[in-house]
C-alpha cells in the first residue's frame, strides 16, 4: 500500500488531503522569492513523499536560479537526489517538464540515473524530434540534446541527427556533425560531405575535416575537388581521397 492509499483508507477525504499538501509544498518549491528556509523545508517534504505528484512539484525548482549560487546548487542537488530516489515512477513528470523546459541539464541528468544507455538515447531522440532545423529565438534545449548525443553510439542516432547538419543555427550544426561522426557509420559520408561543401562556418568545417581525417573515410571521387576548395588550413585531400593534415 502506497502513501496515497494509506491516507485514502484512513479518511474519505484522504485523496484531497494528499493532493492539497503536495500542491502547497510544490508552490513553495517553485517560488523564487520564498524564504530559503521555507523552500528547503518544502523540498524536504516533497522528497519524503516519493510520488510522481511530488516529483512534478520538485521539478519546478529547476526552472530558476537564486543567489548565492552555493545555496542554489545545494537545493537543486537535494531535489535531484529526491527525484532519483523515487525510481522509474519519476520518469513521466520528468518527461513532462523536459518537453517545455528552457534547460534540459537537470532532466537529462535524472534520466541518465534512471535509465539504461539504450533507453536514455531513445529519450534524447524523442526530445530531439520536437525540434526542426528552422530559425528559433531560443534553441538551448536543442543544443543540449545534440551535445548529449555526441556521447553515445547507437543505431537510432544517425537518422535523428543528420537533418540538423543543415540547421540554420551554427552551434546546432557543430553538435550535429560531432554526434553524426560519433556513430562511426560510413553511411553518413554522403550527407556529411554535402554538409561540409555547403558549410559557411570555419569552426564547423574544421571540426568535420578533423573527424574525416581521424576516421580515415574516403571522400567520393566526384566531390573531392569541391571538398578541397572548402577545407580549412592545414587540411587537404590525398590522392587516395582521404582528408589529411598537410
Amino acid at each position: 500500500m502506497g502513501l496515497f492509499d494509506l491516507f485514502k483508507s484512513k479518511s474519505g477525504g484522504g485523496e484531497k488531503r494528499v493532493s492539497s499538501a503536495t500542491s502547497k509544498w510544490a508552490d513553495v518549491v517553485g517560488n523564487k522569492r520564498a524564504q530559503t528556509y521555507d523552500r528547503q523545508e518544502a523540498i524536504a517534504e516533497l522528497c519524503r513523499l516519493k510520488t510522481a505528484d511530488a516529483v512534478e512539484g520538485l521539478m519546478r525548482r529547476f526552472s530558476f536560479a537564486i543567489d548565492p549560487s552555493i545555496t542554489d546548487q545545494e537545493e537543486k542537488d537535494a531535489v535531484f537526489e529526491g527525484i532519483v530516489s523515487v525510481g522509474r515512477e519519476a520518469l513521466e513528470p520528468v518527461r513532462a517538464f523536459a518537453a517545455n523546459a528552457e534547460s534540459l541539464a537537470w532532466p537529462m541528468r535524472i534520466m541518465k540515473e534512471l535509465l539504461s544507455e539504450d533507453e536514455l538515447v531513445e529519450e534524447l531522440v524523442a526530445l530531439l524530434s520536437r525540434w526542426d532545423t528552422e530559425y528559433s529565438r531560443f534553441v538551448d534545449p536543442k543544443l543540449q540534446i545534440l551535445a548529449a548525443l555526441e556521447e553515445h553510439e547507437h543505431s537510432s542516432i544517425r537518422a535523428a541527427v543528420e537533418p540538423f547538419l543543415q540547421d540554420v543555427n551554427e552551434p546546432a550544426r557543430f553538435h550535429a556533425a560531432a554526434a553524426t561522426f560519433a556513430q562511426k557509420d560510413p553511411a553518413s559520408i554522403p550527407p556529411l560531405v554535402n554538409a561540409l561543401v555547403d558549410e559557411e562556418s570555419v569552426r564547423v568545417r574544421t571540426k568535420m575535416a578533423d573527424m574525416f581525417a581521424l576516421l580515415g573515410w574516403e571522400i567520393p571521387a566526384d566531390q573531392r575537388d569541391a571538398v578541397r576548395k572548402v577545407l580549412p588550413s592545414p587540411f587537404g585531400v590525398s590522392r587516395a581521397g582521404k582528408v589529411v593534415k598537410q
Side-chain angles (χ1 to χ4, degrees):
M1 177 181 292
L3 183 65
F4 177 87
D5 295 315
L6 180 62
F7 274 97
K8 188 174 181 180
S9 66
K10 288 184 177 181
S11 168
E15 181 175 351
K16 182 177 180 181
R17 287 168 55 193
V18 172
S19 61
S20 63
T22 302
S23 177
K24 179 187 72 174
W25 295 124
D27 287 344
V28 178
V29 169
N31 185 357
K32 181 177 182 178
R33 294 178 176 80
Q35 294 294 316
T36 298
Y37 174 83
D38 292 336
R39 193 170 50 248
Q40 291 177 348
E41 180 184 20
I43 289 170
E45 290 294 333
L46 288 181
C47 289
R48 183 179 60 81
L49 292 177
K50 295 185 182 297
T51 65
D53 285 345
V55 171
E56 181 179 351
L58 286 167
M59 292 299 296
R60 298 184 190 183
R61 183 58 187 84
F62 296 132
S63 63
F64 62 89
I66 61 170
D67 291 321
S69 59
I70 188 170
T71 300
D72 185 67
Q73 187 66 40
E74 287 173 349
E75 290 185 8
K76 288 175 178 174
D77 284 342
V79 167
F80 169 79
E81 295 294 339
I83 292 173
V84 169
S85 72
V86 175
R88 295 179 71 93
E89 187 180 349
L91 287 171
E92 197 53 45
V94 172
R95 289 187 188 107
F97 179 87
N100 298 294
E102 294 185 357
S103 172
L104 297 180
W106 286 99
M108 290 194 300
R109 184 178 168 190
I110 292 167
M111 289 178 181
K112 189 173 183 178
E113 287 292 319
L114 297 178
L115 298 172
S116 68
E117 182 173 8
D118 285 348
E119 290 173 325
L120 175 61
V121 169
E122 293 299 335
E123 291 285 348
L124 294 173
V125 167
L127 286 169
L128 185 62
S129 70
R130 296 172 174 268
W131 293 88
D132 58 32
T133 62
E134 301 303 317
Y135 171 78
S136 178
R137 186 172 61 179
F138 185 78
V139 296
D140 283 6
K142 176 167 67 173
L143 300 182
Q144 290 173 324
I145 298 165
L146 289 169
L149 288 171
E150 295 176 35
E151 302 174 7
H152 302 277
E153 189 174 341
H154 191 275
S155 59
S156 66
I157 294 178
R158 183 175 69 85
V161 170
E162 278 182 2
F164 296 91
L165 294 171
Q166 304 295 335
D167 200 285
V168 299
N169 181 271
E170 192 266 5
R173 298 196 303 275
F174 181 88
H175 290 299
T180 302
F181 277 111
Q183 307 318 302
K184 301 174 183 173
D185 186 346
S188 292
I189 292 176
L192 284 167
V193 170
N194 290 335
L196 174 58
V197 171
D198 294 338
E199 182 56 56
E200 297 178 352
S201 165
V202 174
R203 183 175 81 120
V204 178
R205 279 189 274 133
T206 301
K207 176 67 173 179
M208 297 178 76
D210 196 46
M211 293 306 300
F212 266 115
L214 180 65
L215 293 173
W217 282 347
E218 185 176 330
I219 304 298
D222 62 343
Q223 290 180 294
R224 291 173 189 172
D225 286 343
V227 169
R228 286 189 180 99
K229 291 178 181 178
V230 300
L231 284 177
S233 178
F235 295 96
V237 179
S238 70
R239 291 183 179 180
K242 296 182 179 182
V243 175
V244 293
K245 283 189 176 181
Q246 297 176 329

